[in-house]
């Protein structure tokens, strides 16, 4: 088992991480346990958790409907209501068992209930293991804007048990792997070289890869929890990627976050090249690798128009300046403000 030290808590990784969970539960003597899960994790993950952490058999289970469209204040009302009705107090613990929707929403509910109670994350998807559950960003979507209402509140611990990945499809593994590629590209060239040697999708989610990706993200978050500077690097591929995700969701197209981010990284690498942040060779290396894993996304004229609207309104911009987190060579990063609209249009049409 690997243990990574975050700002004020530990991240335990490996199939022995639930030994650490049992120690954590015994040591902390919470008054009530609440397990927050969705329909999927209720069925596929909760039985494993209760078997491996028997103390939690006395927990109240709060089961939410699955889906990003349930990441709302209405769902928070439901959870705050359930906590209140069952007598939750300041010494209660919320256990977020699920992907990013559960840890974002559960973390937000915990950070606001009675001005803040403890929560822990038990991520069950590769995407939440390597990204969403780490770093203390919590929140819900509001009026169609992703993560518009939220807090920065770190969990008391994270327990990453790869056993949960066994129920995930190849598509879901690739969904999380896009964030692994991103962190390598902006933070560690040696990790990038290691990724390029992997041959099968099953290797994308090995304990070694997960541990390295989490360690890199954690080292960035530790230096800049509130995203004043360095943490912005985690947005590489996300200006265009998030816009693409929002545009395709609006059109009811089937798109996963990681698939949109993969396309976003290709287009943002295309922006980084003329700005001399990466060489043509590096751009080709990035693009070829991502294309070898993710299928091409069709960008229609309608999508392109929507994309540009989302990009112009992105909260990552500073005033009128369009800001992009770009690689500065492979394995390093620079925030580049003042990216011209023409360059973005060209990157989209060349995709
Ligand atoms: N997912 C980006 C961040 O945690 O900052």
């Amino acid at each position: 088992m690997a243990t990574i030290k975050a700002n004020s808590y530990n991240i335990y990784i490996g199939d022995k991480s639930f030994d650490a969970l049992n120690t954590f539960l015994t040591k902390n003597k919470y008054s009530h346990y609440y397990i927050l899960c969705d329909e999927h994790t209720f069925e596929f993950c909760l039985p494993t958790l209760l078997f491996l952490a028997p103390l939690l058999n006395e927990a109240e289970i709060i089961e939410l409907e699955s889906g990003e469209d349930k990441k709302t204040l209405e769902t928070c009302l439901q959870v705050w209501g359930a906590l209140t009705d069952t007598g939750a107090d300041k010494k209660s613990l919320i256990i977020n068992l699920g992907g990013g929707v559960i840890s974002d929403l559960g973390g937000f509910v915990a950070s606001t209930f009675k001005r803040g109670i403890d929560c822990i994350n038990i991520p069950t998807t590769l995407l939440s293991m390597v990204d969403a559950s780490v770093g203390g960003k919590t929140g819900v979507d509001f009026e169609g804007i992703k993560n518009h209402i939220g807090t920065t509140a770190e969990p008391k611990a994270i327990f990453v048990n790869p056993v949960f990945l066994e129920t995930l499809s190849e598509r879901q593994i690739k969904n999380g792997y896009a964030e692994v590629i991103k962190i390598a590209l902006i933070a560690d060239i040696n990790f990038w070289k290691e990724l390029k040697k992997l041959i099968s999708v099953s290797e994308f989610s090995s304990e070694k890869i997960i541990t390295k990706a989490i360690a890199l993200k954690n080292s960035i978050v530790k230096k800049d929890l509130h995203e004043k500077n360095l943490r912005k690097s985690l947005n590489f591929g996300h200006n265009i990627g998030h816009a693409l995700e929002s545009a395709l969701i609006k059109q009811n197209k089937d798109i996963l976050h990681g698939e949109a981010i993969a396309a976003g990284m290709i287009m943002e690498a295309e922006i980084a090249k003329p700005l001399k942040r990466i060489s043509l060779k590096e751009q080709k290396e990035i693009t070829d690798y991502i294309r070898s894993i993710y299928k091409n996304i069709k960008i229609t004229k309608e999508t392109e128009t929507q994309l540009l609207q989302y990009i112009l309104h992105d909260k990552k911009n500073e005033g009128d300046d369009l800001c992009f987190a770009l690689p500065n060579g492979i394995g390093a990063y620079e925030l580049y403000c003042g990216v011209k609209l023409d360059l973005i249009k060209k990157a989209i049409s060349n995709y």
Side-chain angles (χ1 to χ4, degrees):
M1 179 181 73
T3 303
I4 295 175
K5 289 212 166 305
N7 280 319
S8 59
Y9 65 95
N10 285 340
I11 306 169
Y12 303 94
I13 305 160
D15 50 11
K16 293 271 181 300
S17 61
F18 280 7
D19 293 350
L21 170 62
N22 286 318
T23 306
F24 174 90
L25 295 173
T26 311
K27 216 170 86 189
N28 282 289
K29 305 208 181 328
Y30 287 100
S31 61
H32 300 79
Y33 302 123
Y34 290 89
I35 302 176
L36 196 64
C37 51
D38 63 18
E39 294 154 299
H40 182 86
T41 56
F42 179 86
E43 185 177 347
F44 297 107
C45 306
L46 185 60
T48 308
L49 174 62
L50 296 182
F51 178 72
L52 294 173
L55 259 179
L56 294 179
N57 279 292
E58 62 189 63
E60 293 277 348
I61 313 295
I62 305 179
E63 186 192 348
L64 307 177
E65 281 179 64
S66 303
E68 174 80 26
D69 60 342
K70 300 294 175 311
K71 205 173 112 178
T72 60
L73 283 173
E74 287 71 31
T75 309
C76 294
L77 290 178
Q78 183 190 332
V79 183
W80 285 317
L83 295 173
T84 307
D85 293 347
T86 52
D89 58 15
K90 280 285 281 182
K91 198 63 189 131
S92 300
L93 176 73
I94 296 186
I95 297 146
N96 296 316
L97 178 69
V101 172
I102 291 290
S103 58
D104 282 8
L105 188 141
F108 178 62
V109 165
S111 72
T112 46
F113 185 76
K114 291 185 187 280
R115 298 214 176 93
I117 61 172
D118 288 358
C119 77
I120 58 174
N121 290 337
I122 303 182
T124 58
T125 63
L126 182 60
L127 186 62
S128 61
M129 287 178 186
V130 297
D131 192 40
S133 74
V134 180
K137 281 189 180 177
T138 82
V140 292
D141 304 338
F142 186 69
E143 295 189 351
I145 308 168
K146 278 171 81 92
N147 304 320
H148 198 51
I149 309 287
T151 56
T152 302
E154 296 189 287
K156 287 292 165 217
I158 306 178
F159 302 92
V160 178
N161 194 334
V163 70
F164 294 125
L165 298 175
E166 287 165 17
T167 61
L168 291 188
S169 64
E170 204 171 267
R171 188 176 177 209
Q172 280 295 344
I173 296 291
K174 288 183 182 179
N175 185 29
Y177 188 64
E179 296 289 357
V180 177
I181 297 175
K182 175 202 77 182
I183 200 91
L185 285 172
I186 49 115
D188 189 338
I189 189 165
N190 290 327
F191 189 39
W192 168 248
K193 287 182 184 157
E194 205 178 313
L195 296 185
K196 285 202 304 166
K197 286 192 206 132
L198 304 179
I199 29 191
S200 69
V201 176
S202 61
E203 290 174 283
F204 292 177
S205 57
S206 73
E207 203 171 306
K208 187 166 169 239
I209 297 296
I210 294 173
T211 305
K212 184 70 190 173
I214 293 177
L216 286 170
K217 174 163 182 183
N218 180 56
S219 68
I220 291 171
V221 172
K222 268 173 107 164
K223 290 183 194 125
D224 182 23
L225 177 65
H226 294 284
E227 199 169 319
K228 299 274 183 264
N229 41 66
L230 183 64
R231 190 169 183 170
K232 291 182 201 251
S233 62
L234 299 175
N235 292 322
F236 171 52
H238 284 61
N239 289 50
I240 301 186
H242 251 159
L244 183 60
E245 189 183 3
S246 304
L248 294 180
I249 287 174
K250 201 168 167 190
Q251 297 169 32
N252 286 321
K253 297 256 170 65
D254 177 27
I255 180 84
L256 297 179
H257 175 75
E259 294 166 345
I261 296 314
M265 287 190 282
I266 291 177
M267 290 184 257
E268 293 185 17
E270 173 92 25
I271 290 173
K273 156 74 194 32
L275 296 175
K276 303 207 180 326
R277 265 55 207 163
I278 52 173
S279 65
L280 181 62
K281 184 171 165 285
E282 287 167 329
Q283 185 201 346
K284 191 168 158 16
E285 192 179 322
I286 295 169
T287 304
D288 288 352
Y289 183 67
I290 296 175
R291 284 202 188 280
S292 73
I293 298 168
Y294 299 91
K295 60 180 190 306
N296 199 56
I297 297 174
K298 190 169 163 42
I299 300 183
T300 60
K301 270 272 154 250
E302 180 198 3
T303 307
E304 192 175 330
T305 310
Q306 288 174 356
L307 260 179
L308 291 170
Q309 281 164 357
Y310 282 116
I311 290 166
L312 289 173
H313 292 108
D314 197 301
K315 60 178 174 295
K316 292 180 272 299
N317 296 328
E318 295 182 359
D320 288 337
D321 258 355
L322 298 177
C323 296
F324 280 70
L326 297 176
N328 191 0
I330 290 180
Y333 139 88
E334 186 179 321
L335 182 71
Y336 194 99
C337 290
V339 177
K340 297 274 176 289
L341 198 56
D342 278 352
L343 199 52
I344 302 171
K345 285 184 183 162
K346 194 160 163 242
I348 297 171
S349 61
N350 283 352
Y351 166 74

